[in-house]
Amino acid sequence: MKKYIKSLILTALSVGMLSSCQSELDHFNENPNDPMSSNPSLLLAAMEVSTFSTHTAGLIRTSNIFDQHLAGTSIGQLGDIQRYFVSEQDVNNEWNTLYGTTLMNGHILTRDFAAEYPYYTGMGQILTAINLGYATDLWGDVPYDEAFKADQGNRTPKYNTQEEIYQRLQAILDEAILNLQKPASNNLSVPAKDDYIFNGDTKKWIQIAYVLKARYSLRLTEVDTQAAQKALDNLTASEISSNNDDANTFFPGTSNGLNQWYAFNESRVNYLKTGAYFVNSLKDNNDPRLSFAIAKDKNGNYTGNAADDLDTTSSSYIGSAFASEKSPIGIVTYAEAKFIEAEAKFRLGQDAKPALQEAVAASVLKVTGSTAKTEFLSAVTTTVNLETIIQQKYLALFLTMEPYNDYRRTGFPVLVPNQSSQTKIIPVRLPTPSDERQYNPNATVVSNVTTNVWWDKN
């Protein structure tokens, strides 16, 4: 564990976000299990930095290629993903970042500092829920209850079922809310600039916690008949009200702190393009987000690669709203909350149109900086049904994992798989990492990427 903590702290330092002196880091890394040696401020900052990295790197690239927001080319390793080939070795790094860094830091933060630093702890618990959600949504059964007991001699943790993980997600978020609702006087110190997301604003963190509870409630529409009502109840409690309440990534734009979509394209030119389905959907609706979400291709047009096209490199990359040096990417947003509301109300037989229009309007404003025109909102919400809601959510939540989760859960949007792939079926999960298969006899091992996770009954 020591190497994981040191690695993550140094990663945080490399993007210019932490200013602690080297002597303090050396002391911290002597024994990260010792609460006298660790620091809640460093732990929270490190969790946020690693979350920003995860949210703009491999797991999101892969899920966005699967759902055809993006397209890998044959130039680099993303061509295999475009062909729906993901090996157990390919996912070790992502797994280790989630467990060996982010979730481990969250465990230490809760274990050692909950009593005297409930605000730091609550924020860490929300980040834990986000990252544990990434893990279970892509791998299904994953370790949690026994995942962080190496210091007690348990290096082969048993896996929790995905159903159990979803129960844990709700419990973690409930604990986070309770911690963040405590008086400031209960804290020895409170987060401020070391919180890169909200600068210590506990109200905004509580809003995000409730939106996450709604997200994870709605995910279970195929296995829980009360999912829609639970989602709606959590949204009511959230009181999220505008894009100003969004939880976004933060990149300072310096040489060591670049938006990872920008950095990836700079270092791996033409490895990744936008997907034709996504680009054409924006073009077909005269969507005002087109020129912001999509960069012009080499011919001055907006074009994406079809699912079976791995050879075209003249097509468009991600646009400046998402892929400039500093571009913030939404992790949990007001727009997502309104899409959740729209779907929940539709499933409950209520009027979903106002929430759907508010969701699209929030996305347009966030991406373009301008208010959506009434004519556009009316045109894209003429028919309000599950397919329309999910389609508009797909367009709005670009470069997040949610559209891929929605695709598996609902079957929308209707995508044509890469017919030149071996399976001709869009993958619905990731394989168990090889490190887990080889070294953890208690791992739930799944190698077939067409095997559904528990909540995916579509």
Side-chain angles (χ1 to χ4, degrees):
M1 182 179 69
K2 178 177 178 179
K3 67 178 181 180
Y4 291 135
I5 300 299
K6 185 170 184 178
S7 173
L8 186 51
I9 293 298
L10 292 178
T11 298
L13 282 169
S14 73
V15 296
M17 294 180 179
L18 299 180
S19 58
S20 300
C21 64
Q22 187 60 47
S23 60
E24 181 179 347
L25 282 175
D26 290 340
H27 179 60
F28 174 77
N29 284 296
E30 288 172 2
N31 184 2
N33 277 312
D34 181 1
M36 296 301 292
S37 301
S38 51
N39 181 311
S41 176
L42 286 175
L43 289 167
L44 176 64
M47 288 187 76
E48 291 189 357
V49 171
S50 61
T51 298
F52 300 160
S53 176
T54 294
H55 191 68
T56 55
L59 296 181
I60 305 300
R61 280 197 301 269
T62 297
S63 60
N64 271 233
I65 288 173
F66 288 164
D67 70 22
Q68 299 181 19
H69 279 104
L70 300 173
T73 72
S74 57
I75 290 178
Q77 70 270 28
L78 298 184
D80 283 342
I81 298 174
Q82 189 70 24
R83 298 182 187 96
Y84 306 154
F85 177 77
V86 184
S87 76
E88 60 177 4
Q89 289 83 19
D90 292 336
V91 295
N92 281 321
N93 287 343
E94 284 78 9
W95 178 277
N96 290 334
T97 296
L98 287 173
Y99 276 94
T101 54
T102 317
L103 294 176
M104 176 61 79
N105 278 349
H107 166 71
I108 296 171
L109 183 53
T110 299
R111 183 195 66 189
D112 295 345
F113 298 104
E116 296 179 318
Y117 299 88
Y119 287 2
Y120 279 104
T121 301
M123 294 171 193
Q125 287 168 326
I126 292 171
L127 294 167
T128 292
I130 290 170
N131 287 276
L132 184 59
Y134 290 153
T136 190
D137 286 337
L138 289 174
W139 282 287
D141 297 353
V142 294
Y144 183 69
D145 290 352
E146 296 185 2
F148 311 107
K149 296 185 176 181
D151 58 324
Q152 301 173 32
N154 184 355
R155 290 178 170 80
T156 58
K158 292 180 181 179
Y159 276 40
N160 291 92
T161 67
Q162 187 171 62
E163 182 175 8
E164 290 172 338
I165 292 294
Y166 263 78
Q167 294 168 357
R168 303 297 186 273
L169 289 171
Q170 294 291 349
I172 292 166
L173 291 166
D174 286 339
E175 291 178 9
I177 292 166
L178 290 175
N179 276 319
L180 293 166
Q181 288 175 333
K182 292 179 179 179
S185 59
N186 284 26
N187 296 263
L188 288 183
S189 65
V190 298
K193 291 184 178 180
D194 48 354
D195 167 19
Y196 307 123
I197 298 177
F198 289 129
N199 292 316
D201 189 330
T202 56
K203 178 182 177 182
K204 290 185 183 295
W205 276 105
I206 290 170
Q207 290 174 333
I208 293 302
Y210 276 114
V211 175
L212 284 169
K213 285 177 64 65
R215 172 195 287 183
Y216 295 134
S217 294
L218 195 68
R219 184 87 81 245
L220 306 187
T221 49
E222 299 300 303
V223 294
D224 181 0
T225 58
Q226 300 300 311
Q229 187 60 58
K230 291 176 182 177
L232 206 55
D233 290 345
N234 282 310
L235 286 181
T236 299
S238 77
E239 299 182 351
I240 192 168
S241 60
S242 76
N243 293 346
N244 292 329
D245 298 329
D246 289 358
N248 300 314
T249 61
F250 169 69
F251 298 102
T254 60
S255 59
N256 291 323
L258 295 171
N259 174 306
Q260 291 302 289
W261 295 109
Y262 172 88
F264 185 87
N265 196 46
E266 288 291 298
S267 62
R268 296 174 176 85
V269 177
N270 291 327
Y271 278 37
L272 185 66
K273 297 294 178 179
T274 51
Y277 180 86
F278 176 53
V279 176
N280 292 340
S281 295
L282 293 171
K283 289 166 65 176
D284 291 347
N285 289 304
N286 295 315
D287 197 301
R289 293 167 289 191
L290 175 65
S291 62
F292 295 85
I294 310 297
K296 287 185 177 180
D297 65 17
K298 293 181 179 179
N299 298 314
N301 301 312
Y302 300 105
T303 55
N305 286 6
D308 59 355
D309 179 6
L310 283 78
D311 298 322
T312 302
T313 59
S314 60
S315 47
S316 298
Y317 186 63
I318 303 164
S320 60
F322 297 92
S324 70
E325 294 95 325
K326 294 184 178 182
S327 296
I329 310 296
I331 303 172
V332 184
T333 63
Y334 172 66
E336 180 189 349
K338 299 307 290 187
F339 280 115
I340 293 172
E341 179 185 342
E343 181 183 341
K345 286 185 173 179
F346 174 78
R347 289 181 178 275
L348 294 169
Q350 301 175 22
D351 184 9
K353 189 169 186 175
L356 179 58
Q357 290 191 337
E358 290 168 11
V360 176
S363 173
V364 170
L365 180 60
K366 185 180 183 71
V367 173
T368 71
S370 300
T371 302
K373 293 182 179 179
T374 302
E375 296 81 5
F376 172 73
L377 294 176
S378 297
V380 298
T381 59
T382 300
T383 301
V384 179
N385 53 30
L386 183 61
E387 182 173 8
T388 302
I389 294 167
I390 299 300
Q391 175 71 19
Q392 289 304 315
K393 189 177 178 185
Y394 172 90
L395 298 178
L397 270 59
F398 182 38
L399 303 185
T400 75
M401 198 183 294
E402 287 309 290
Y404 177 56
N405 294 329
D406 289 339
Y407 169 75
R408 292 182 286 166
R409 178 175 62 89
T410 69
F412 298 123
V414 179
L415 302 172
V416 178
N418 179 356
Q419 296 302 302
S420 65
S421 66
Q422 183 175 358
T423 64
K424 298 181 176 60
I425 300 173
I426 295 174
V428 292
R429 66 178 305 124
L430 294 181
T432 304
S434 60
D435 286 352
E436 284 293 291
R437 179 184 61 78
Q438 292 173 340
Y439 303 117
N440 185 359
N442 290 317
T444 300
V445 178
V446 180
S447 59
N448 189 343
V449 296
T450 61
T451 300
N452 292 12
V453 297
W454 165 71
W455 52 252
D456 178 12
K457 305 298 183 183
N458 183 58

